[in-house]
Amino acid sequence: MSVQRSTRVAEAIKEEVGGILLHRLKDARVESAKVSVTDVEVSRDLRHATIFVSVFGDDTAREETLKGLRSAAGYIRSEVGKVVKLRATPEIHFKLDTSIEHGANIMALLDRIKEDRESRERAGDEG
């Protein structure tokens, strides 16, 4: 299996799942949350697809949304199979992607360091 093919399949799955979550999935746990597909990794044999999602909200909202997505995995798989033509549609696995939250935390820390430095410089100028 070429890397290019698995990359194309992953991108097609990412696009289709994004559309399903936005327009067609009817699960209150997912509909009420702000969910975005951040990445898809496909196994070399194309039998498994790990879909990474970012969920805006607290830990409870994230956990409920993940439960809803896992519950809907069969439906999502069948919808993906209609669009992404493969011999066998990959099993769908969802994982929470916390990289956006991690990046926001790092930015907040950097902003705090910058503010601390500026206030020390102002205090040094006054004293």
Side-chain angles (χ1 to χ4, degrees):
M1 155 80 53
S2 75
V3 173
Q4 286 180 331
R5 181 161 187 233
S6 62
T7 301
R8 283 194 317 267
V9 168
E11 281 301 313
I13 291 172
K14 180 179 177 181
E15 186 175 316
E16 184 60 23
V17 172
I20 292 167
L21 296 181
L22 192 60
H23 302 290
R24 300 194 305 257
L25 186 62
K26 302 296 180 210
D27 186 315
R29 295 172 291 189
V30 178
E31 285 181 312
S32 64
K34 293 182 180 177
V35 183
S36 59
V37 178
T38 58
D39 196 17
V40 174
E41 291 180 357
V42 180
S43 65
R44 292 182 67 168
D45 62 2
L46 300 179
R47 294 191 183 264
H48 298 274
T50 302
I51 301 171
F52 293 89
V53 293
S54 175
V55 180
F56 184 75
D58 61 11
D59 288 340
T60 304
R62 287 187 197 112
E63 206 49 49
E64 284 302 308
T65 301
L66 213 47
K67 284 180 187 176
L69 290 171
R70 289 177 177 152
S71 173
Y75 167 74
I76 293 169
R77 180 181 184 208
S78 69
E79 292 297 299
V80 166
K82 293 174 185 175
V83 175
V84 181
K85 300 297 182 189
L86 295 169
R87 191 172 310 167
T89 304
E91 288 287 331
I92 303 286
H93 309 280
F94 287 99
K95 284 194 175 180
L96 195 58
D97 182 356
T98 58
S99 63
I100 293 172
E101 181 182 338
H102 185 70
N105 288 339
I106 289 173
M107 289 302 295
L109 287 171
L110 290 173
D111 288 343
R112 192 176 322 149
I113 290 169
K114 181 181 176 185
E115 289 171 8
D116 288 349
R117 181 178 294 149
E118 289 172 352
S119 60
R120 274 187 269 137
E121 288 174 356
R122 282 192 299 271
D125 290 343
E126 293 171 3

